Amino acid sequence: MASSAESPAVMAANLVQSVDWLAIAPPTLVAVVGLVVLVADLFVGDRKKALLGWLSVAGLAASALLLLPLLDGDRSTFCLTGDTRVCSYTVDRFTLVIQFLVLGGALLAALLSVTTLKDADKQLPEGEYWFLLLSSAAGAALLPASRDLATLIVALEVASLPAFALVGIRHGDRKSSEAALKFFLSSVTATAVSLMGISFVYASTGTLYLTQVADRIQHVDGQLHTLAQTGVVLTLVGFAFKTAAVPFHFWVPDTYVGAPLPIAAYLSVVGKAVGFSGLILVTVVALPSYADVWGPALAALAALTMTVGNVGALRQQATRAYSAVRLLAWSSVGQAGYLLVPIAAAAYTDHAERSVGSTVAYALMYAAVNLGAFAVAALVGRTRTANRLSDYRGLYASNPLAALLMAFFLLCLAGLPPGIIGLFAKVTVFSAAVDAGLGWLAVVMAINVVIALFYYLQWTTLLFRAPEGEPAAHRVPAPLTAALALTGVLGLVLSGAPQLVLRFTDTGLF
């Protein structure tokens, strides 16, 4: 009787875990600053609302700096009792690189937002805006550290739910509301499909921890084999929605155009980082034994996504009256196809860590130059609210530095000198496909690079043409200047030393 009376107490003691506060500090600090901003909004007058923005910027910068003490080695917390190898939260090199991308992307989006909110003339509620942005960033920073399926889904939804509200936060704007609805419906569908797939995987393996799923799903009882296969397929479909892979991309163009421009920039970079890091964790870490299922599926998705995205962008470019943001949206769909290539290649090689590193390296390059392109778009949008492609004609005459930066960012996205980092990233992804024996996918990628060259170069030449009429004056506020400077310097430094990207993205995921 004594032993049975003591057993609940012993079990309770075993469930008490020490928390590695330093490991969880970056996403925790972002969440705490978000709560502080929400409360402070109740007491700050309208004239001092701008302080909330600078507090948010400072919080994101401090969170990014908290990644530095974590570089000394891998850390794990919230581990299974008695087994420190099975944990819910792990900080390794992969986690740190994605968290750096997420927090850096959120910081640049916040700098763009400071100017946008000031120009919006109370059309955007500042307190709610900053709270939602920080909440989404906290979830996005949590996701790459998640090592069980439950935490992964929770982080995914914490990153996604505030983003719905941010897309539709502009008062009285029908286009914004329509964009938010499309984004919401597509994301809810993706979540439902993912949850059903994860429930099937859990039913067949009896665990949610990624490393245990990887071990047990190989030895599933014959009666549960079909259930496990269905769970794998549904989980992959759910994450394909999140990465905006074709045919699950339909929400992207309207959402980017309807959202406030900084939120479109945020979704194009941080939203992609969330989707792709989750896809990597599910496929490469949890389901390596099903590589024969997800490898061909992701290869086909990559080919389809890059082709549809680039053809869609080409159609937008043909009509100068179209929105520049819509072209960037289609371009981001095409870039998603390139990001899928190394993940698909991981299924065909014994060196999956190299393929994952290629995806992360490409994501870092894309994040820097795409945010820079959105920063220039934000500058042009201050005087030309429609932000059409025709509004960029003669930008060099009114703002030479902004035009040169935009040309550099577009050439990086195209993979042409002097955008060496873009060329380097594309060669890295191309090599991953060739090394994995996916020659046909490398050919499709080469064709799409040529297609993309056309609309990127057409936009670039438009910047230096003679302006029609009097060129618009572009005054650059300090936050926008900071965003342009950070992205420009980062792009130039990485173009000068592109090998730094691969060293930085040498993931410790395996």
Side-chain angles (χ1 to χ4, degrees):
M1 292 294 292
S3 62
S4 63
E6 293 174 358
S7 58
V10 173
M11 290 177 63
N14 288 336
L15 291 174
V16 177
Q17 303 179 17
S18 59
V19 178
D20 188 339
W21 290 104
L22 183 60
I24 66 172
T28 302
L29 179 60
V30 176
V32 169
V33 174
L35 291 173
V36 170
V37 166
L38 184 64
V39 173
D41 182 49
L42 299 174
F43 303 99
V44 175
D46 289 342
R47 294 184 178 180
K48 297 184 178 180
K49 293 285 187 183
L51 294 175
L52 301 177
W54 290 112
L55 176 61
S56 302
V57 170
L60 289 166
S63 299
L65 291 175
L66 284 175
L67 298 175
L68 297 177
L70 301 174
L71 293 172
D72 58 353
D74 295 352
R75 292 169 174 263
S76 296
T77 188
F78 304 116
C79 299
L80 196 65
T81 304
D83 191 349
T84 56
R85 296 173 301 174
V86 183
C87 304
S88 293
Y89 190 100
T90 297
V91 179
D92 51 21
R93 178 55 68 93
F94 172 79
T95 300
L96 289 176
V97 173
I98 299 298
Q99 285 184 336
F100 170 77
L101 193 161
V102 164
L103 295 173
L107 175 61
L108 287 165
L111 287 172
L112 297 180
S113 299
V114 171
T115 301
T116 299
L117 289 170
K118 185 178 179 181
D119 295 340
D121 193 22
K122 297 183 181 181
Q123 196 178 21
L124 297 172
E126 295 193 42
E128 293 88 336
Y129 182 97
W130 291 115
F131 169 71
L132 291 168
L133 181 62
L134 290 170
S135 299
S136 179
L142 170 63
L143 189 137
S146 305
R147 292 300 184 273
D148 71 68
L149 293 171
T151 307
L152 193 65
I153 287 295
V154 169
L156 194 62
E157 290 312 297
V158 171
S160 300
L161 290 173
F164 306 150
L166 284 169
V167 170
I169 200 171
R170 191 181 284 118
H171 291 323
D173 190 323
R174 182 178 177 181
K175 188 180 295 185
S176 179
S177 301
E178 181 182 345
L181 181 61
K182 287 185 178 180
F183 186 23
F184 172 76
L185 292 176
S186 63
S187 190
V188 166
T189 302
T191 302
V193 173
S194 296
L195 285 173
M196 183 174 290
I198 287 171
S199 67
F200 287 174
V201 171
Y202 176 71
S204 56
T205 61
T207 184
L208 291 172
Y209 291 97
L210 301 183
T211 52
Q212 287 189 337
V213 168
D215 293 334
R216 296 183 187 181
I217 205 165
Q218 303 178 60
H219 310 291
V220 170
D221 184 84
Q223 295 178 339
L224 298 175
H225 189 62
T226 301
L227 185 68
Q229 286 184 321
T230 305
V232 170
V233 172
L234 290 177
T235 303
L236 290 176
V237 169
F239 277 93
F241 266 102
K242 296 294 185 181
T243 57
V246 174
F248 314 115
H249 68 294
F250 58 88
W251 57 272
V252 174
D254 288 342
T255 298
Y256 282 28
V257 172
L261 194 139
I263 301 306
Y266 175 83
L267 291 175
S268 73
V269 171
V270 178
K272 272 190 173 48
V274 167
F276 280 97
S277 56
L279 187 63
I280 289 170
L281 291 172
V282 168
T283 55
V284 180
V285 178
L287 302 170
S289 59
Y290 276 80
D292 59 332
V293 175
W294 54 260
L298 291 182
L301 279 179
L304 190 61
T305 301
M306 67 177 73
T307 303
V308 172
N310 284 318
V311 171
L314 195 62
R315 291 180 59 193
Q316 305 305 311
Q317 195 277 336
T319 306
R320 301 288 167 77
Y322 269 88
S323 166
V325 176
R326 187 177 290 274
L327 192 151
L328 286 173
W330 280 108
S331 167
S332 75
V333 174
Q335 299 288 346
Y338 302 143
L339 286 164
L340 282 169
V341 171
I343 306 177
Y348 297 89
T349 178
D350 295 330
H351 303 287
E353 68 278 2
R354 293 181 184 175
S355 295
V356 171
S358 297
T359 291
V360 177
Y362 196 97
L364 281 175
M365 179 284 301
Y366 170 76
V369 298
N370 201 60
L371 283 168
F374 269 101
V376 178
L379 174 62
V380 173
R382 299 189 75 235
T383 55
R384 305 290 178 87
T385 54
N387 218 325
R388 297 185 178 94
L389 282 175
S390 57
D391 295 333
Y392 289 78
R393 178 165 183 158
L395 180 61
Y396 184 78
S398 59
N399 195 322
L401 183 57
L404 290 172
L405 282 173
M406 188 63 167
F408 174 68
F409 296 140
L410 292 173
L411 291 175
C412 283
L413 290 170
L416 288 177
I420 302 299
I421 185 58
L423 176 62
F424 179 78
K426 281 184 168 57
V427 169
T428 302
V429 171
F430 190 86
S431 299
V434 173
D435 293 344
L438 296 172
W440 68 270
L441 186 55
V443 171
V444 173
M445 180 180 172
I447 294 171
N448 274 277
V449 168
V450 175
I451 295 173
L453 283 177
F454 185 80
Y455 64 81
Y456 284 131
L457 288 178
Q458 285 279 59
W459 195 352
T460 302
T461 57
L462 195 65
L463 301 170
F464 301 98
R465 289 184 180 178
E468 295 178 348
E470 193 70 23
H474 297 285
R475 188 180 64 83
V476 188
L480 198 50
T481 301
L484 288 167
L486 285 172
T487 52
V489 169
L490 186 59
L492 289 170
V493 169
L494 292 180
S495 290
Q499 69 277 8
L500 293 176
V501 178
L502 281 185
R503 291 177 188 172
F504 185 57
T505 57
D506 183 15
T507 68
L509 193 58
F510 304 90

